[in-house]
Amino acid sequence: MKILFLDQSGKPGGAELCLIDIAKPYRQDCLVGLFADGSFKTLLEENQIPVKVLTRKEIEVRKKSSVVQGLRSLGQILPLILTVAKIAREYDLIYANTQKALAIGSLASFLSNRPLVYHLHDILSPEHFSETNRRIAIALANKFVSLVIANSQASKDAFIDAGGKSEIVKIVYNGFEPAKYKVEKSEVNHIRQELELDGKFVVGHFSRLAPWKGQHILIEAIANFPDNVIAILVGDALFGEQEYVSKLHKQVRDLGLENRVKFLGFRDDIPQLMTACDLVSHTSTSPEPFGRVIVEAMLCQKPVVAAKAGGAIELIDHEVNGFLTTPENTQELTQIINKCLKNPEQIASIAKTARQNATERFDVININQQITQHIKSIMGL
Ligand code: UDP
């Protein structure tokens, strides 16, 4: 089966990293069409996945766009729709991996008479998207999409609540290669030395720097501990959240934590860095659609504490394979950090259970089989 994947991003966020794993088995017979150039393209090439940048003009629709802005962008995207429709005729199916890809893919699917799959990596709620964007996404999905792959029950529920057709939605979680998360002790020692983590209790945070990812909550919690408890913040402002980055740096200065909060920027050695941590924290202030970092921490056999909302609730069973705290509640986060600091044996057994659970539930081979089955069924194969 020949698949034309579409993704709007030039940078590798969670949806893009997930797409690499989905496209890999189809690499002989697929193309990933991007609506922006950047490091995501390089990552696809490194994975021998055919990729083409289909436009370098930014599509001026934001998550909070109005109708007028939406209409203005229509003229701008028409050439892209025609390009995609032309390419799509060489493929059996269009697979839209992001919202703008859904918009372009819908009309291209109509013009090329190819079925459309939409991988929903978002919670279509007012917290994340404007009313207009949600309406457009739902209208397009209901009209043109044969299969919506929702990355969690939370994403599926929000899609249906926003008016999406339930009968076209299947839930498929992100897949991971468990072996990638088994890190040699020597690599961990190297990282701990390089980052001067020896003798410290290290709480890691692995997300792009964005207000709703809540890095400020972790910084607040770290201030409640003595000097041996430190945080590493791994990730960059991928989508222009520079103001938040400045705020975080100011918060660190104001709290006198310059030596205890390390900003590491975007990294591609996540398993190694996670394994070098004592605890991985997830502090999103709005419901997380899935939460790749939570599963990755589990696979690294690290205790993980996550904000109790959205997909995180489907991944973590509190005190069984991780910890859940009320979103934005610094006090609860502080208590969990303290618990992990004081009870290393109990948390080691929780982390062991986490690795077993995550390996059983999220192995990429099983996940890719589920996706292939769903695609085959809409193709009548
Ligand atoms: N990530 C990464 N390098 C970084 C920070 C994050 O490769 O410096 C990865 C992280 O390991 C995870 C993904 O980015 O696989 C983020 O996915 P998640 O679902 O947690 O959040 P999203 O970006 O989709 O909102």
Side-chain angles (χ1 to χ4, degrees), residues 13-15 17 208 213 234-235 265-267 270 288 291-293 296:
L17 295 170
R208 58 201 157 82
K213 291 292 188 180
V234 182
F266 188 87
R267 303 273 300 223
I270 298 299
E288 186 73 56
R292 290 177 60 85
V293 292
E296 290 171 318

Side-chain angles (χ1 to χ4, degrees), residues 124-144:
L124 293 176
S125 67
E127 284 154 302
H128 288 282
F129 293 93
S130 71
E131 167 90 19
T132 313
N133 276 3
R134 278 183 292 139
R135 279 206 188 152
I136 292 174
I138 295 295
L140 292 173
N142 283 348
K143 175 124 188 76
F144 297 105

Side-chain angles (χ1 to χ4, degrees), residues 18-268:
C18 173
L19 182 62
I20 293 177
D21 287 322
I22 293 169
K24 256 190 214 169
Y26 294 99
R27 50 162 72 111
Q28 305 299 337
D29 261 330
C30 79
L31 176 69
V32 180
L34 300 180
F35 306 163
D37 206 345
S39 54
F40 178 38
K41 177 174 170 255
T42 315
L43 265 178
L44 287 160
E45 285 166 348
E46 283 169 8
N47 283 281
Q48 288 97 46
I49 297 167
V51 53
K52 192 169 177 192
V53 178
L54 303 178
T55 178
R56 285 183 167 76
K57 278 196 205 141
E58 201 195 338
I59 302 171
E60 288 161 3
V61 184
R62 304 252 170 269
K63 284 193 170 181
K64 307 269 173 184
S65 283
S66 67
V67 178
V68 179
Q69 285 163 318
L71 286 175
R72 200 180 301 139
S73 60
L74 200 61
Q76 184 207 356
I77 60 179
L78 209 57
L80 179 58
I81 292 168
L82 297 175
T83 305
V84 172
K86 189 164 174 241
I87 299 173
R89 291 194 184 96
E90 310 286 314
Y91 292 84
D92 302 313
L93 175 95
I94 305 176
Y95 192 111
N97 197 51
T98 57
Q99 274 222 25
K100 287 177 194 171
L102 167 67
I104 306 291
S106 290
L107 299 172
S109 123
F110 175 72
L111 293 174
S112 62
N113 199 22
R114 294 294 181 272
L116 178 64
V117 172
Y118 174 36
H119 199 138
L120 176 64
H121 295 276
D122 295 307
I123 290 188
L124 293 176
S125 67
E127 284 154 302
H128 288 282
F129 293 93
S130 71
E131 167 90 19
T132 313
N133 276 3
R134 278 183 292 139
R135 279 206 188 152
I136 292 174
I138 295 295
L140 292 173
N142 283 348
K143 175 124 188 76
F144 297 105
V145 172
S146 309
L147 164 69
V148 174
I149 295 177
N151 66 349
S152 64
Q153 183 71 49
S155 296
K156 175 181 174 177
D157 290 347
F159 177 80
I160 294 168
D161 286 350
K165 288 197 252 175
S166 62
E167 62 272 22
I168 57 173
V169 190
K170 302 283 178 207
I171 298 171
V172 183
Y173 291 124
N174 280 206
F176 300 81
E177 276 175 60
K180 249 183 117 170
Y181 298 87
K182 286 201 169 145
V183 179
E184 292 293 326
K185 192 131 189 58
S186 59
E187 288 182 90
V188 178
N189 291 342
H190 177 74
I191 284 195
R192 285 191 74 103
Q193 255 173 19
E194 194 179 72
L195 297 175
E196 298 174 359
L197 306 180
D198 282 333
K200 313 278 189 206
F201 184 89
V202 183
V203 186
H205 196 293
F206 298 78
S207 287
R208 58 201 157 82
L209 302 180
W212 76 274
K213 291 292 188 180
Q215 280 87 354
H216 58 281
I217 315 271
L218 174 61
I219 295 173
E220 249 169 52
I222 291 292
N224 294 329
F225 289 91
D227 286 356
N228 65 323
V229 178
I230 70 161
I232 58 170
L233 304 185
V234 182
D236 214 343
L238 288 190
F239 306 113
E241 298 93 346
Q242 281 314 322
E243 201 183 315
Y244 183 61
V245 177
S246 307
K247 264 195 191 161
L248 290 178
H249 282 279
K250 182 171 181 317
Q251 184 190 11
V252 167
R253 279 196 306 276
D254 290 349
L255 291 168
L257 297 175
E258 289 93 330
N259 295 325
R260 294 176 50 205
V261 177
K262 293 175 193 283
F263 290 83
L264 302 188
F266 188 87
R267 303 273 300 223
D268 56 13

